[in-house]
Amino acid sequence: MADSNSSTDSVSIDVETIYLGGKEHIVRTGCGSVSVIVYGDQEKPPLITYPDLALNHMSCFQGLFFCPEAASLLLHNFCIYHISPPGHELGAAAICPEEPVPSVDDLADQIVEVLNYFGLRSVMCMGVTAGAYILTLFAIKHRERVLGLILVSPVCRAPSWSEWFYNKVMSNLLYFYGMCGLLKDFLLYRYFSKEVRGSTEVPESDIAQACRRLLDERQSINILRFLQAIDGRPDITQGLKKLQCRTLIFVGDSSPFHSEALHMTAKLDRRFSALVEVQECGSMVTEEQPHAMLIPMEYFLMGYGLYRPNQFSGSPRSPLSPSCIAPELLSPESMGLKLKPIKTRIESKLLGEQR
């Protein structure tokens, strides 16, 4: 791995803060510092994650990595690099208001600087909603550096009128009131299904209550800056045709971005993409129903010669090189369609010839 002298474009300061075995690196880039939490053996293939608005790896991916089967699949095969949006890491200070607000292009290019610092040539990517957009844009701009995309409730178009309205309300709440109760309600609506959010008759779930507590730790100005970047995003639908990697998309059927995920899936190359719809779930499948991601991810990663431990003899240290998956592996039965709450729509075979 690269050390702090290996790149002229970025400098990293190692912070001796350990998060469940991970180590935080603060990487200085052309548009500000970014926190990266690294888990695992850095000799293994890299997987980078990028969370949704107002979240970091603890609030966006903890459920997935605490799911034993999913954790064994991912940590056995990858070294995980959790990238936080600027100012979204644990304990982040407020960013100076005079600092220019980065664009989505700036955030995508910032990922290049992070990869260069760690000496990473190409990576697997996993992102949720806003983070999924940033990683998709990164994949379009830097195709040679992306091996595959695992996207959760992604968007690829400019904000709809309804999203624009919600974003405007959230921006005003952040500016005038900070992380108030009403803002949290808006964010929970963005993340979770009504079953998790609760109602007048049903109390909020533990997941929603934990998310509320974690949101209290965010700096309002930092969230506002990321929201402004995402709210100003351009439509990248045409760029999807340039993608050269395989893509696996998850979306909850109760997600406010459900139609956006369907639109994106329809625009991707049908030979190399698949859509998994999760019943009774909101946008953040990684937290609400992480077990629903296991089987689809397992078969997706088989196309790269990566398996769960003790299943096959493939080495996770070998370079990722896509191979074909037998058609029956992506049949509805194999993908777990008979098991609630998973509902899977495969637009075409993910890795292999069309049926």
Side-chain angles (χ1 to χ4, degrees):
M1 288 301 108
D3 58 26
S4 59
N5 296 320
S6 64
S7 172
T8 59
D9 297 324
S10 58
V11 177
S12 172
I13 303 172
D14 290 346
V15 179
E16 295 299 329
T17 305
I18 304 300
Y19 301 111
L20 302 174
K23 185 175 183 180
E24 183 178 27
H25 300 253
I26 303 298
V27 182
R28 293 176 180 168
T29 72
C31 57
S33 297
V34 60
S35 167
V36 184
I37 306 290
V38 181
Y39 289 87
D41 182 355
Q42 291 181 266
E43 295 299 316
K44 291 183 179 180
L47 183 151
I48 66 172
T49 73
Y50 210 103
D52 192 17
L53 175 71
L55 303 175
N56 55 38
H57 77 287
M58 289 294 290
S59 46
C60 194
F61 298 103
Q62 180 174 267
L64 179 63
F65 283 90
F66 275 19
C67 180
E69 296 85 358
S72 66
L73 173 67
L74 296 173
L75 293 174
H76 174 71
N77 288 295
F78 295 102
C79 180
I80 314 298
Y81 297 79
H82 290 300
I83 302 174
S84 291
H88 280 52
E89 67 271 16
L90 294 171
I95 298 174
C96 177
E98 296 179 0
E99 289 289 326
V101 175
S103 67
V104 288
D105 281 289
D106 292 331
L107 296 175
D109 292 338
Q110 192 176 56
I111 295 173
V112 178
E113 297 188 68
V114 170
L115 301 194
N116 290 344
Y117 167 72
F118 287 106
L120 306 176
R121 290 186 295 274
S122 53
V123 296
M124 187 71 70
C125 300
M126 179 185 294
V128 178
T129 311
Y133 179 94
I134 298 298
L135 291 178
T136 303
L137 180 59
F138 166 68
I140 291 171
K141 298 180 69 174
H142 306 279
R143 288 170 288 176
E144 74 286 353
R145 306 201 72 164
V146 177
L147 296 162
L149 291 168
I150 301 173
L151 306 176
V152 181
S153 303
V155 295
C156 65
R157 293 185 287 194
S160 64
W161 281 108
S162 60
E163 185 190 347
W164 175 87
F165 175 77
Y166 271 93
N167 290 348
K168 184 63 65 176
V169 173
M170 288 196 295
S171 295
N172 287 333
L173 289 172
L174 281 164
Y175 185 83
F176 291 107
Y177 303 103
M179 186 54 73
C180 60
L182 183 56
L183 176 62
K184 292 178 186 177
D185 290 339
F186 273 88
L187 289 171
L188 291 184
Y189 172 79
R190 177 186 178 97
Y191 305 148
F192 299 119
S193 66
K194 61 182 179 181
E195 288 79 11
V196 170
R197 298 196 310 271
S199 63
T200 53
E201 295 82 19
V202 181
E204 272 189 349
S205 68
D206 292 342
I207 295 175
Q209 292 178 20
C211 188
R212 281 186 184 274
R213 291 192 295 271
L214 289 169
L215 289 172
D216 280 330
E217 301 173 4
R218 301 284 83 79
Q219 296 283 350
S220 300
I221 183 64
N222 301 355
I223 298 173
L224 179 59
R225 290 165 60 86
F226 190 29
L227 177 58
Q228 290 171 335
I230 292 300
D231 196 42
R233 69 181 187 266
D235 188 329
I236 56 173
T237 300
Q238 291 303 312
L240 298 178
K241 299 176 182 178
K242 300 178 182 178
L243 289 179
Q244 298 176 342
C245 63
R246 290 162 173 79
T247 304
L248 178 60
I249 293 178
F250 294 92
V251 65
D253 62 3
S254 298
S255 168
F257 303 103
H258 182 263
S259 63
E260 290 295 317
L262 298 185
H263 166 80
M264 183 171 180
T265 304
K267 300 301 180 181
L268 289 166
D269 189 328
R270 298 180 56 151
R271 296 170 298 169
F272 307 116
S273 60
L275 170 67
V276 180
E277 295 177 86
V278 184
Q279 292 180 329
E280 300 176 5
C281 187
S283 299
M284 201 154 44
V285 185
T286 51
E287 290 294 315
E288 192 168 341
Q289 295 195 31
H291 56 279
M293 300 178 65
L294 176 62
I295 293 174
M297 283 197 307
E298 220 173 330
Y299 289 124
F300 179 76
L301 294 177
M302 281 183 188
Y304 298 88
L306 301 174
Y307 307 95
R308 287 173 66 186
N310 302 322
Q311 272 192 297
F312 299 90
S313 58
S315 169
R317 290 173 179 263
S318 62
L320 291 174
S321 55
S323 59
C324 287
I325 286 183
E328 59 271 16
L329 291 180
L330 286 169
S331 67
E333 292 78 11
S334 295
M335 294 287 279
L337 285 188
K338 295 179 181 178
L339 303 176
K340 299 296 184 181
I342 305 175
K343 171 188 172 188
T344 308
R345 272 183 45 178
I346 300 298
E347 297 296 337
S348 68
K349 287 196 340 226
L350 181 60
L351 301 171
E353 301 176 353
Q354 286 184 304
R355 287 192 178 114

